Amino acid sequence: MLVWERPEPPNRPVPAPLNRERIVTAAIRLADADGLDAVSLRKVAAALGVGPMRLYSYIASKEELLDLMVDAVHAEIRPAGDGWREALRSLAESTRRAAHEHEWLADLLGGRPQLGPHALAGGEAVVAALDGVDVDAVMPVVAAVNAYVIGAVRREIAERRAERATGMDEKRWQAALGPYLERTFATGRFPALATVVRDAAHLDADRTFRIGLDFLLDGIEARFSGVARRGPLLRGDARPKRRTGGAARG
């Protein structure tokens, strides 16, 4: 039985009351402060002032604890807006905000779908906003937006961690590498790259993220418009065979 379905032990009159919500809140507090390496059942138990064995009545493993932590943060990711474009933009921006608030989340995004109640509620909101889109296009569209967000967020978090590790912010790093790039570009071997680096606008992370997201949403909208003229998104031999059993798609 998955942790989402497994009932919690009954409350007991003990000096330190315990439940999954308190355990997850304590784990998130540790991860927010010092990263995922600071999270273990032993460390969480110490933060709560209880013995580690008490936690095993509520959570069977660290993997379950991480699942619960991610789902708790999904409560902060609430796609909203009128229409599919606004809902997908809200999904992207709220996921990014949550990852910047909880930096460790960037290490756990992606992979198999999150199936906790908060994640499923967010997924329901997004899929409902895609009502009217060909059913075979729904998951590829959502997956494309999620892939963009995960890639962008991981790059941003990696930059933040590099800044902490080196003590050099982006401007200082660019100043340190500037002379090398000037010497390299002066060879004439990289003319296109040199033009972009020298002449293009240098955008901050927020603006870069939003422009990239607009490119993606514009492409989805153009595809939807073309499909409306041509017919279903996947036709004939291009349509994958439907599954008749096993795990749910996505």
Side-chain angles (χ1 to χ4, degrees):
M1 184 178 292
L2 297 178
V3 66
W4 320 111
E5 302 172 300
R6 194 167 64 243
E8 296 190 47
N11 292 328
R12 293 183 295 171
V14 295
L18 204 58
N19 56 41
R20 285 197 188 114
E21 183 178 359
R22 289 195 66 211
I23 294 170
V24 171
T25 298
I28 289 175
R29 190 178 299 116
L30 290 174
D32 286 348
D34 297 308
L36 288 177
D37 288 342
V39 177
S40 68
L41 293 180
R42 179 181 59 80
K43 292 175 182 178
V44 173
L48 292 169
V50 301
M53 293 308 297
R54 280 197 63 193
L55 268 61
Y56 284 102
S57 298
Y58 299 85
I59 298 172
S61 64
K62 182 176 177 178
E63 287 68 30
E64 281 194 352
L65 178 58
L66 295 178
D67 284 342
L68 289 167
M69 290 167 62
V70 171
D71 195 63
V73 175
H74 267 281
E76 304 173 20
I77 302 172
R78 279 287 178 257
D82 297 327
W84 66 266
R85 186 174 180 121
E86 290 76 10
L88 290 175
R89 179 180 296 281
S90 178
L91 169 66
E93 292 181 343
S94 60
T95 302
R96 180 174 180 252
R97 282 195 302 271
H100 279 278
E101 181 71 21
H102 309 283
E103 190 176 292
W104 51 269
L105 182 65
D107 299 318
L108 299 178
L109 288 173
R112 290 180 175 176
Q114 294 294 325
L115 300 178
H118 293 303
L120 291 176
E124 173 68 18
V126 172
V127 171
L130 288 163
D131 183 44
V133 174
D134 187 282
V135 67
D136 288 317
V138 171
M139 295 314 297
V141 165
V142 176
V145 173
N146 281 330
Y148 171 75
V149 175
I150 291 168
V153 163
R154 285 182 175 167
R155 178 184 59 79
E156 293 169 0
I157 297 301
E159 173 66 25
R160 182 190 293 182
R161 289 169 174 169
E163 182 175 325
R164 288 200 301 264
T166 64
M168 298 174 65
D169 62 17
E170 184 178 12
K171 289 184 178 179
R172 292 178 61 189
W173 180 80
Q174 289 173 344
L177 274 292
Y180 159 75
L181 284 179
E182 289 295 339
R183 292 192 301 272
T184 301
F185 290 159
T187 66
R189 293 170 57 199
F190 310 105
L193 187 58
T195 298
V196 171
V197 171
R198 290 169 175 160
D199 299 340
H202 287 229
L203 306 174
D204 62 20
D206 291 341
R207 185 69 175 145
T208 298
F209 179 84
R210 290 179 184 132
I211 289 177
L213 182 59
D214 279 337
F215 288 157
L216 177 59
L217 295 178
D218 287 348
I220 293 171
E221 186 167 10
R223 186 65 181 269
F224 284 170
S225 297
V227 167
R229 293 192 298 270
R230 296 192 303 270
L233 185 66
L234 299 171
R235 295 184 294 178
D237 294 339
R239 184 180 294 275
K241 294 181 180 179
R242 299 194 181 279
R243 300 178 186 178
T244 58
R249 289 189 305 172

